Amino acid sequence: MKFRKKPVVIDATQWFKNGDHPGDHQPFLAGGDAHRYEEYCFNTEGAVVRRYRHPEVSGNTTCKHCGQTMHVHGWIDTLEGGHIVCPGDWIITGVAGEHYPCKPAIFEATYEPATDAVTGQGA
């Protein structure tokens, strides 16, 4: 038998560095100091994408997926266990509120912007 995946509208944020995910930190308040807020995000552990740490892998190790050092990576807990987040990965919020990373090429092949007819609101 063959099955087709049900159309589901998802929320996704592309992640490049600590603090990029809107669920990681308090939102930036208008009129605040943007430099201090960026410094806060860089120096604070995220609530969704945490800093990458592994007791057996040095932060200077090169990532086998993207070629950058592990220092610039994140870590996300998923329902299936923890996953490395490379700069440029998309962080998807699933139907049950869970988060998981998705490589850009897979994201592009699987998802497209939602239209007003699908969501009932602006894309």
Side-chain angles (χ1 to χ4, degrees), residues 96-110:
E98 75 281 14
H99 296 98
Y100 55 94
C102 184
K103 296 294 180 205
I106 301 297
F107 187 87
E108 185 178 321
T110 307

Side-chain angles (χ1 to χ4, degrees), residues 24-97:
D24 277 346
H25 307 289
Q26 294 295 320
F28 178 65
L29 302 174
D33 183 337
H35 176 74
R36 285 185 54 194
Y37 182 73
E38 186 173 317
E39 193 174 293
Y40 161 79
C41 288
F42 181 77
N43 291 317
T44 306
E45 183 86 323
V48 175
V49 182
R50 299 189 338 241
R51 293 186 180 282
Y52 174 80
R53 294 182 214 56
H54 195 287
E56 299 169 12
V57 179
S58 163
N60 293 322
T61 303
T62 301
C63 176
K64 65 182 179 183
H65 301 289
C66 70
Q68 296 188 55
T69 65
M70 298 310 290
H71 281 301
V72 299
H73 287 69
W75 181 264
I76 194 165
D77 292 315
T78 71
L79 298 176
E80 295 83 29
H83 288 274
I84 294 169
V85 180
C86 295
D89 283 357
W90 287 87
I91 307 301
I92 296 173
T93 302
V95 295

Side-chain angles (χ1 to χ4, degrees), residues 4-10 95 111-112 118:
R4 178 181 18 216
K5 192 175 187 178
K6 293 179 183 179
V8 176
V9 176
I10 55 121
V95 295
Y111 298 98
E112 62 187 20
V118 174

